[in-house]
Amino acid sequence: TPPEVIRNFCIIAHIDHGKSTLADRMLQVTGVVGERQMRAQYLDRMDIERERGITIKSQAVRMPWAVDATYILNMIDTPGHVDFTYEVSRSLAACEGAVLLVDAAQGIEAQTLANLYLAMENDLTIIPVLNKIDLPSAQPQKYAEEIAGLIGCDPADVLRVSGKTGEGVPELLDRIVAEIPPPVGEADAPARAMIFDSVYDTYRGVITYVRVVDGSLSPRERIAMMSTKATHELLEIGAISPEPAPTQGLGVGEVGYLITGVKDVRQSKVGDTVTGERRQAAQPLGGYHDPRPMVFSGLYPIDGSDYPILRDALDKLKLNDAALVYEPETSGALGFGFRVGFLGMLHLEIVRERLEREFGLDLISTLPNVSYDVRLDDGSEMEVTNPSEFPAGKIASITEPVVRGTILAPSEFIGAIMELCQSRRGTLLGMDYLSPERVELRYTLPLAEIVFDFFDALKSRTRGYASLDYEPSGDQEADLVKVDILLQGDTVDAFSAIVHRDKAYAYGVQMAGKLKELIPRQQFEVPVQAAIGSRVIARETIRAIRKDVLAKCYGGDISRKRKLLEKQKEGKKRMKMVGSVEVPQEAFIAALSQD
Ligand code: GDP
Ligand code: MG
């Protein structure tokens, strides 16, 4: 296909603003999917995506659209969650234009704004579109002005469509052809294609999605991955329309997939450049980096004998999740498990859900934490991803990851938002009004303060009206300490946490209080303490049972006594010994649960 008739675009939208529905309509209007094959959210393939209504993996689909000639439109779907910002950035880099899709009853949201800025930095042509104009609550005029102010266009240029009824969709396709520039590349140069997604398929191995920038790739030739120098044979190359179909190759500006038979997505990394093995490009395309886990948690099987199943399950998940990292870990309290690194909390939830659903595992996970760089007095440095490995004493400095957060909200909530950000150690970077009623606030915040429950706190303080987006923004030094929880003087490793010094006391009091409620009384008194090093900051006491339960049976019926002993023995199986204290497994699970 000559590049002049190709248009590569993506859709930037906030979750629920109607991206999947619009994509469905485009597939229908262009005739790629017939009425009878149509099902809702055609491109959202993973079960979890459909159930949660989010797109985790991006997809690319080719659609013909006739104007003066027949054009080839490649729609590249982008993931819509902060955990996957890097994937979003690569999808944008594969396009020349972006449809900015905004719910006409909601207005623009922080997620959209962040991706819009990313698209503008990449010099993409932006086509502004208001969706859901069929809704009675739609306010197209108001939001057209907001969008126009943001991207510097005329409010009349903001298209109005309904993904539901199909109104305005053909006009949108026409605008894509008219306004988005065709791809430009050197047809005779050595091949360079950017990987913007790669997914594992049980039958075919890894399917890699690429956008060709220069040169071309053909079936059966040998290709090389520029980051690793690994070479593979191209077993199949083609385009998706709406199902994968082999072609005679892909040339300048084309978007499609390739299959090499590799079984692990780590061999086909998002952002990497594919070139020919014999005629290799001198320079890879820019912007590649390895996925970096931001959140860590210990995962343990509730039934210790499931450990081998958990290990195999992680090995399998890794094949289609290049961002998943893990290593074995042992906990005195929880037994054998793994320390697992995730891109963020959604990624963590998805992995956990898949482990439980697809592999039938019952898991217990420790409180998530970020990773810290600790420098010791002797000049040595270490990365701490597990609080129980936090070094004792001799610490020169600790740095923690920070993010740049963008919050959009009605301006009446400015005070509440500032208060919340302050309590999370945030620094205000700037504030802008999108309209007299809506404001954008930009903050630097420690990742540890926002990754877990910040969004919920923000929502509840703004009656659900605020939206949030953030991206990694380096590290900062912080006054952090490790808080240990001790039962009768013994540290319970699963409860150790790294927290800011100002918040250590609150964490200690809360955890000690929880455990006092959850751990049954023993034969003896059990102190529950929270401590920083050897300094106790909180203390509770689990009082002793007054008398031996067996005393009740003294001189009584022997069989009743035996029954009682057997019952105790059974109970013990589900108990863990922490020093001489018996702790029921349920107490651990309850204490570690985040609600
Ligand atoms: P996504 O999260 O951006 O992919 O959004 P979806 O396409 O899943 O749509 C979110 C919700 O909005 C669904 O309940 C859709 O049925 C609904 N929706 C999408 N487009 C329209 C539209 O044009 N009009 C109306 N009334 N509802 C829509
Ligand atoms: Mg969707």
Side-chain angles (χ1 to χ4, degrees), residues 65-81:
W65 186 244
V67 190
D68 50 336
T70 297
Y71 289 83
I72 298 295
L73 312 186
N74 292 307
M75 173 168 57
I76 295 173
D77 198 9
T78 52
H81 192 275

Side-chain angles (χ1 to χ4, degrees), residues 20 41 44 53 55:
S20 298
Q41 314 226 321
D44 296 353
T55 308

Side-chain angles (χ1 to χ4, degrees), residues 151-173:
I151 64 174
C153 70
D154 194 297
D157 292 338
V158 180
L159 256 176
R160 294 165 189 206
V161 310
S162 166
K164 189 175 171 187
T165 66
E167 186 182 346
V169 175
E171 291 79 359
L172 172 56
L173 295 170

